[in-house]
Amino acid sequence: MNDHERDAWDLEQAGLTWTQIAREIGCTEGAAEAFAAAYQHRTDAAAAENQIPLF
């Protein structure tokens, strides 16, 4: 896992703009968005994989 991915996601959830996030982690705005999206995709996939069927 890339630490920038979690950082970008956390900062976006905290309400920072992509410009602010990019400046904070030292990348472009596009990269910051991609980092956050990758983190969310990976954690959503892991959650779905571990979901217990109800029926």
Side-chain angles (χ1 to χ4, degrees):
M1 176 173 67
N2 184 331
D3 289 337
H4 288 321
E5 292 176 355
R6 173 72 186 262
D7 293 342
W9 186 86
D10 283 341
L11 293 169
E12 197 272 332
Q13 294 297 303
L16 275 70
T17 66
W18 291 119
T19 301
Q20 293 169 318
I21 295 166
R23 193 174 306 124
E24 181 73 25
I25 62 177
C27 65
T28 65
E29 292 176 31
E33 288 185 70
F35 286 148
Y39 177 80
Q40 183 163 352
H41 176 74
R42 187 176 49 261
T43 56
D44 287 352
E49 185 178 305
N50 293 314
Q51 180 67 36
I52 298 170
L54 298 177
F55 302 99

